[in-house]
Amino acid sequence: MNIRQIQEARELYGIEGWGNGYFGINDQGHVVANPTGEEHISVSLPEVIEEVRKKGLTAPIIIRFPQIIEGQLQRMHSSFKTAISDNAFKGRHMGVFPFKVNQRREFIDAIVESGRKVAYGLEVGSKTEFIAALGYKLQDDALFVCNGFKDAEFIELGFIAKAMGKNVVMVVEGPDELEMIIARTAHYKECPDIGLRVRLYSKGSGKWEKSSGEQSKFGLTTTEVIHSLQILERANLKEKLAMLHFHIGSQITEIKRFKGALKEAARVYAKVIKTGFQPCYLNIGGGVGVDYDGSKTSFESSANYTLQEFANDAVYVLMGVCDNEGVPHPTIVTESGRVIAAYHSVVVTNIREVQGADVNIDADTILDLEHVDPSAHKALNELRYIVNNMTRKNYVEYYHDSIVYQEELFTLFNLGYLQLKDRAVAEELYYRICRKALYFSGFERHPSEEFEGLQKVMVSKYLANFSIFQSIPDSWSINQLFPVMPLSRHDEKPNLKATIVDITCDSDGCLTTFIDRSDTKTVLELHPPSDSPYYIGFFLVGAYQESLANEHNLFGAIHEVEVHTSPDGEWEITKTTEGDLIDELLISRNYDMEKITTAYGDQLDEAVAAGRLTQEVRKQLYDKLIVCTKGYPYLSEE
Ligand SMILES: Cc1ncc(COP(=O)(O)O)c(C=O)c1O
């Protein structure tokens, strides 16, 4: 046990900052989850992986902790409860979870289950999401909020939901949707509640800032709001206007942006009430940020406020405006998704190989690197000399000399004057010189730009057995940062600087930016490979990553397990779901597996007829092909 090193690892990977009380490193140097937020109830992630392997499943794997979902729902709800009681606010808080943040059934099941305790509802933005949501029986007054652009069929579903007894609010995006609602009232006994999505001038902050404000694609302008109120009045549906809604974007990094939007929305709410309408819900949207880098700042991967601060400000600002206008306090509806879902899942995978470190092959036994060979080209021997004689005093000059020798040798090879072995010796020597130069530059108080650049080129590439496009698509599409770290060996110094590449045939399938408390960094510190499997975890990936996943190279959904803890500190895997198998992925792309397997058989028969195979071998090969079609598309762990 190396307690000092373990503490260094906690700081290096910033786990106490972004872990939010759910993740840490134990005294054995293993990453642990604390799904209930209690320190004494912990789950060692390497042990979970061991259990998963016993079940015959291999990496990559998602480990889900449904208790973290419950914990986040509770934290949201109790933050509002505290703020409401501290301020003697007269309204209540009701949460809805936006389906699009993670539509996997396993996840929504957990949301619904945990949500029953705090009357949590669901928000949908399409007919498909609505159809799925309608299958869930929530607590009686829990809300079903329907956002998004709607056609007549979507609107009709709202009426059916109402007839089923659901507390449904159809939030209209434009007056045409209102007309469609009015047209249906003649055919149904009860009309669902109606909401208006208001376009605010106030903007969000961070990556989604541009999608909010006056130019947003969503929400009614003030004229459209007035027009909508007139339409409702004319249709005798005044009492059906139940909700005003706004959403200024996801991952709001600065609390002051929320405050500005809340002030503006509260004013609109109060003015609408003053025109004789009685909406009781003010839906303040989602957008609560997740502190992915643990810095607690307004940096785009962070958020400079806590959930409690968000709830306090929401209650305080809304109350101030409502009291000032003399209108009743609303029920505050939140639609936060990211902050509820992000923490609950971890993608774990194994490292298949390390490229670029002196680890894969023993170059000294393959090549004669050390001995000066009088018959070798002069430049090769110069490189040998530099490797052996580089010091802290001369490393800059020697490094520059080596560049010249290396280029000279490269040209000689292209002109046909050197053998393949000479080229290998030159590559290997030059590589060692760079490593040594970097080592010496590490002693400088301010390393030069040249050596910082060299550091980026010289990193080891860790080949991780997963697809970035499937498991963390936002890191590819919008440069979203997620905490990444090994699951074990934290009692050992991670002395290699690495980037991560995935197994897709795409050069974009790599991670070259990592979280850092004071900035971002271009390398991740990892341990050198050993004989045991090396697992790394991608954390805080529970929001949006599964819903935006794509099957680049036909790598599909990965295996998943759910882990629960009991009050006595025990944990168990309560559910295992296999990932997409190869034939399922092909079928989803319209391949006919019967046609494919028949074609295999025909081609093997031809090989038998031509005398290239015996019947016995034909059968073995055919059976192997069939087993492969039912396999996991990721690399096996052998
Ligand atoms: C209308 C609406 N509500 C809620 C959300 C959820 O936002 P977040 O996941 O940032 O909480 C979104 C996502 O951007 C949204 O568009």
Side-chain angles (χ1 to χ4, degrees), residues 367-482:
L367 309 166
D368 192 7
L369 290 173
E370 296 292 328
H371 292 114
V372 175
D373 172 4
S375 65
H377 193 277
K378 184 173 168 284
L380 265 186
N381 285 333
E382 291 292 351
L383 288 181
R384 281 192 170 100
Y385 178 84
I386 291 176
V387 171
N388 293 326
N389 294 284
M390 187 181 258
T391 64
R392 212 174 139 180
K393 281 191 180 156
N394 66 19
Y395 80 93
V396 178
E397 187 190 334
Y398 274 26
Y399 169 66
H400 289 157
D401 290 349
S402 74
I403 296 174
V404 177
Y405 293 129
Q406 163 74 352
E407 281 171 0
E408 193 182 329
L409 289 164
F410 182 67
T411 310
L412 286 170
F413 179 79
N414 280 353
L415 293 172
Y417 293 114
L418 292 185
Q419 301 309 311
L420 200 57
K421 200 163 181 188
D422 298 326
R423 179 180 153 113
V425 171
E427 271 174 18
E428 200 61 39
L429 290 171
Y430 180 66
Y431 182 70
R432 289 179 185 197
I433 291 167
C434 294
R435 290 274 300 265
K436 253 187 157 171
L438 275 178
Y439 170 76
F440 290 127
S441 76
F443 291 103
E444 306 287 352
R445 197 179 284 190
H446 302 291
S448 70
E449 251 179 50
E450 179 179 27
F451 287 100
E452 280 179 353
L454 181 64
Q455 176 74 73
K456 283 185 197 156
V457 181
M458 291 294 293
V459 293
S460 307
K461 290 192 177 71
Y462 276 58
L463 180 70
N465 182 16
F466 83 135
S467 158
I468 281 175
F469 307 91
Q470 169 64 221
S471 293
I472 43 170
D474 274 349
S475 99
W476 161 66
S477 57
I478 54 167
N479 298 324
Q480 165 81 53
L481 296 180
F482 296 98

Side-chain angles (χ1 to χ4, degrees), residues 28-46:
Q28 282 75 53
H30 292 175
V31 174
V32 293
N34 304 96
T36 58
E38 294 159 292
E39 215 174 308
H40 67 284
I41 300 184
S42 71
V43 182
S44 149
L45 299 194

